[in-house]
């Protein structure tokens, strides 16, 4: 199977040194909320477009079909999504996989080989561009909880489609998308299964991690203010966590991470989930000692078809009697 390598998000999750240092310098006893808003905005003031070298098209997969859909997200912005299926696959589908993409390289087209594989296993795949990505509206990303909000609205829309109504709901996300699929369980506990690939627990944790990486321990002083700003802007989507989402749902969960991940360290997601749920039979934990953030590629640099097969088998166990 021809594959392309989805590049690790860099710009999207990188907190600039200038932004964090500005926060520290502005700290007296209390940093005024308007100034913390300026700093927060400076972190996420970009759009993402999939680079041509990273994008797939339907021409790459002659037997893959897709239908274009549009739907509103939390602030009325229009998102674009596609419902994927595969010719020759069983007409009666096992379920629908709602896929949430990563941050930094654009929207969902860089993962079309994954959709092709999963559609061949008898699933519909509904994938979409999050706010500020590719075909969807939004001048900027805005913040990490935006991904959770977009996924919440994508699930509402997809599950209301007549062709998908009543099918088991399966969630799969990479990086930013992995944060989203565990957190969104706070609002969609009805999900049958979830797969988190190189994800983390709370949105605010990545601001703290990147901030301390850039400016040292002093950056932690800004965290209560950044969290206050994030919650003011995103409400319930900033207040949730993956731990809480997984506790709210009875779904099966597969957590995958690379021990050498420096974009999202394994301690921020996998290890927290393992500590909380390692004795829970509905969980599957899989870590790779030699892999970094590009968890979906194997040691040769190609898409890891063996991992995709494990994920498909995990979904099958979750939906089939």
């Amino acid at each position: 199977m021809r594959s392309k390598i989805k590049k690790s998000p860099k710009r999207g999750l990188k907190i600039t040194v200038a932004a964090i240092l500005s926060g520290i310098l502005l700290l007296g006893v209390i940093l005024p909320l308007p100034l913390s808003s300026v700093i927060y905005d400076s972190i996420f003031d970009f759009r993402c477009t999939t680079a041509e070298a990273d994008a797939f098209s339907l021409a790459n997969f002659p037997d893959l079909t897709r239908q274009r859909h549009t739907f509103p997200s939390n602030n009325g912005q229009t998102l674009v999504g596609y419902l994927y299926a595969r010719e020759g696959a069983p007409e009666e589908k096992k379920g629908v996989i709602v896929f949430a993409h990563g941050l930094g390289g654009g929207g969902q087209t860089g993962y079309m080989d994954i959709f092709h594989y999963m559609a061949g296993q008898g699933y519909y795949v509904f994938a979409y561009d999050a706010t500020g990505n590719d075909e969807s509206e939004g001048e900027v990303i805005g913040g990490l909880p935006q991904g959770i909000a977009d996924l919440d609205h994508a699930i509402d829309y997809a599950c209301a489609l007549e062709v998908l109504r009543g099918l088991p709901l399966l969630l799969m996300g990479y990086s930013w998308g992995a944060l989203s699929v565990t957190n969104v369980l706070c609002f969609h506990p009805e999900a049958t299964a979830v797969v988190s690939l190189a994800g983390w627990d709370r949105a605010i944790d990545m601001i703290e991690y990147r901030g301390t990486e850039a400016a040292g321990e002093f950056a932690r002083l800004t965290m209560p203010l950044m969290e206050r700003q994030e919650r003011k802007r995103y409400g319930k989507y900033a207040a949730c966590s993956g731990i809480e989402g997984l506790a709210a749902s009875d779904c099966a969960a597969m957590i995958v991470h690379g021990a050498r991940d420096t974009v999202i360290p394994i301690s921020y997601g996998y290890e927290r989930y393992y500590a909380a749920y390692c004795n829970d039979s509905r969980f599957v934990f899989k870590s790779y000692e030699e892999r970094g953030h590009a968890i979906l590629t194997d040691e040769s640099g190609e898409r890891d078809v063996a991992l995709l097969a494990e994920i498909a088998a995990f979904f099958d166990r979750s939906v089939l009697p």
Side-chain angles (χ1 to χ4, degrees):
M1 179 175 65
R2 181 179 181 275
S3 65
K4 296 186 181 181
I5 305 308
K6 185 72 176 178
K7 296 180 179 178
S8 297
K10 295 180 181 178
R11 187 181 179 190
L13 287 178
K14 183 178 181 181
I15 307 304
T16 64
V17 175
I20 295 300
L21 290 180
S22 295
I24 295 170
L25 292 172
L26 286 168
L27 268 171
V29 177
I30 297 177
L31 179 65
L33 189 60
L35 292 177
S36 65
S37 177
V38 170
I39 295 171
Y40 189 92
D41 288 344
S42 73
I43 298 170
F44 301 107
D45 65 343
F46 58 90
R47 275 189 62 89
C48 289
T49 302
T50 304
E52 185 176 350
D54 297 330
F56 288 105
S57 71
L58 283 179
N60 299 127
F61 309 102
D63 60 344
L64 188 65
T65 65
R66 70 177 188 179
Q67 298 174 346
R68 190 176 191 271
H69 293 264
T70 61
F71 58 96
S73 192
N74 58 319
N75 292 316
Q77 72 274 31
T78 297
L79 305 187
V80 175
Y82 290 91
L83 181 62
Y84 291 88
R86 191 165 162 183
E87 295 175 356
E91 186 172 341
E92 186 174 345
K93 301 297 187 261
K94 302 172 186 175
V96 54
I97 301 169
V98 179
F99 184 90
H101 64 78
L103 177 62
Q108 46 82 30
T109 58
Y111 306 86
M112 202 180 295
D113 58 330
I114 295 175
F115 310 156
H116 180 258
Y117 183 90
M118 293 299 170
Q121 307 308 305
Y123 293 95
Y124 283 116
V125 179
F126 186 80
Y128 60 96
D129 296 329
T131 298
N133 284 261
D134 281 356
E135 295 185 63
S136 291
E137 291 183 346
E139 293 183 4
V140 297
I141 298 295
L144 295 173
Q146 185 62 57
I148 305 167
D150 290 342
L151 178 57
D152 181 21
H153 287 76
I155 292 170
D156 286 341
Y157 177 81
C159 290
L161 294 174
E162 184 174 354
V163 69
L164 303 180
R165 197 170 296 147
L167 288 177
L169 170 64
L170 311 168
L171 304 177
M172 180 177 177
Y174 168 68
S175 189
W176 184 32
L179 166 79
S180 299
V181 296
T182 54
N183 276 250
V184 84
L185 294 171
C186 290
F187 318 112
H188 289 281
E190 73 276 11
T192 299
V194 59
V195 174
S196 165
L197 299 155
W200 72 101
D201 181 30
R202 301 187 312 145
I204 195 68
D205 290 338
M206 278 303 101
I207 295 183
E208 179 178 287
Y209 168 61
R210 289 297 180 181
T212 55
E213 186 180 55
E217 291 299 310
F218 288 109
R220 295 189 193 279
L221 297 173
T222 67
M223 287 307 104
L225 300 160
M226 292 296 99
E227 186 166 8
R228 179 184 174 193
Q229 180 61 34
E230 193 163 81
R231 291 200 179 202
K232 179 176 181 291
R233 182 165 302 182
Y234 289 105
K236 64 181 183 179
Y237 299 117
C240 55
S241 74
I243 291 286
E244 293 169 347
L246 291 164
S249 175
D250 292 328
C251 71
M254 184 176 186
I255 311 295
V256 185
H257 216 117
R260 296 191 178 185
D261 193 338
T262 58
V263 176
I264 299 168
I266 194 169
S267 60
Y268 279 83
Y270 180 100
E271 290 183 357
R272 292 187 189 180
Y273 298 146
Y274 188 85
Y277 298 111
C278 63
N279 295 319
D280 192 327
S281 61
R282 66 192 176 102
F283 280 78
V284 174
F285 291 95
K286 187 175 182 65
S287 63
Y288 291 89
E289 290 299 319
E290 301 302 319
R291 292 192 191 180
H293 197 57
I295 197 70
L296 285 161
T297 59
D298 61 22
E299 285 66 27
S300 69
E302 295 296 318
R303 188 71 84 194
D304 189 345
V305 179
L307 175 56
L308 294 183
E310 287 189 49
I311 293 171
F314 166 75
F315 281 146
D316 285 350
R317 294 194 301 272
S318 302
V319 300
L320 298 178

